[in-house]
Amino acid sequence: MKKKLLALCLALSMLAAMIVLPASADSVDYEGYLVLGEDLSDSQTSTVLSLMGISDTSSYSVSYTTHDEEEEYFGDYLSADVLGTKALSSILLIPQEEGSGIDITLYNISYCTEEMYQSALIDAGVSDVKVIVAGPVSLSGTCALVSAVKAYSLMTGEDIDDSVVDAAVNEIVTTGSVGEEIGDTDSATELIAALKQTVLEEDLTETQIGTALDKLAEEMGITISDGTRQEIIDLMMKLKNCDIDVDALREQASELYDKVKDTLNNVDLDEVTENVGGFFGSIISTIVNFFRGLFGG
């Protein structure tokens, strides 16, 4: 438990530099946008920069995050004990050509997965960037999301609404919680991604979201507690109010498909419709056919 708390504490270092954002992008043409934890020692900074492949920061936009800023965004989701007292995690965003999508590389990150970052960054409207998340030691990396959004705002000169950032942070924390509960972060990521796609495309009500979640979890062989179930529903209701690019979610789904195709291909949609019937049967069909239809499965 102590190790887990330390990891989360270290991870939340990157968080808050987003509180003050410029109204327009800097006129300097930077190679990348680097956000460092303010509490890194000189040796730790050298370790992080080395992992990122940076020998000279003069061509990068460099900013920092503080622990106080971390609490601004994660305070509603994680306890003070988990938040810790130091800001150590760091992130680098490198602009890419239009249509490149989001490419994520992790160093010393043991909690968040690439897919978790990708999904949350899509929520926040981030696109066409190479993302490198690194820590001086092994850590969870949860707050890297907010620093990434901050760097993206600096890069584009466009402010990202705090409510959107909150939803993205919420998704990372919720996905991590589900992953811990079921003992499988990949399945948790797939569950959240498939449900989110359906919720946004079908504009489901809160009751419909709960039903869709129950059926999808059943088909994937996932069992969650009532508390976690409600946490996921609350997240989906929050995401409904965000302007999320559904096409970008489809691109992400193509990468997740290989992981879930065996499960989905074994789903008998006729049996689902017969057992569930009507509208909710069609929801399950939508979820399954969403993946199958995208990739000819």
Side-chain angles (χ1 to χ4, degrees), residues 195 198-199 202-206 208-209 212 237 240 279 283:
L195 181 62
T198 302
V199 168
E202 301 295 327
D203 192 25
L204 302 185
T205 65
E206 183 170 356
Q208 292 166 346
I209 291 171
M237 291 298 294
K240 279 185 61 177
F279 173 73
I283 290 178

Side-chain angles (χ1 to χ4, degrees), residues 13 35 38 137 146 240 245 272 289:
S13 59
V35 183
E38 186 181 59
V137 295
V146 178
K240 279 185 61 177
D245 185 348
V272 170
N289 284 327

Side-chain angles (χ1 to χ4, degrees), residues 2-14 67 70 78-89 139-143:
K2 182 177 180 181
K3 182 177 179 181
K4 176 182 174 184
L5 294 180
L6 175 61
L8 285 172
C9 162
L10 295 175
L12 292 173
S13 59
M14 310 183 44
H67 176 66
E70 296 168 16
L78 297 171
S79 69
D81 289 341
V82 173
L83 287 175
T85 59
K86 292 185 177 182
L88 297 172
S89 306
L139 45 78
S140 65
T142 35
C143 70

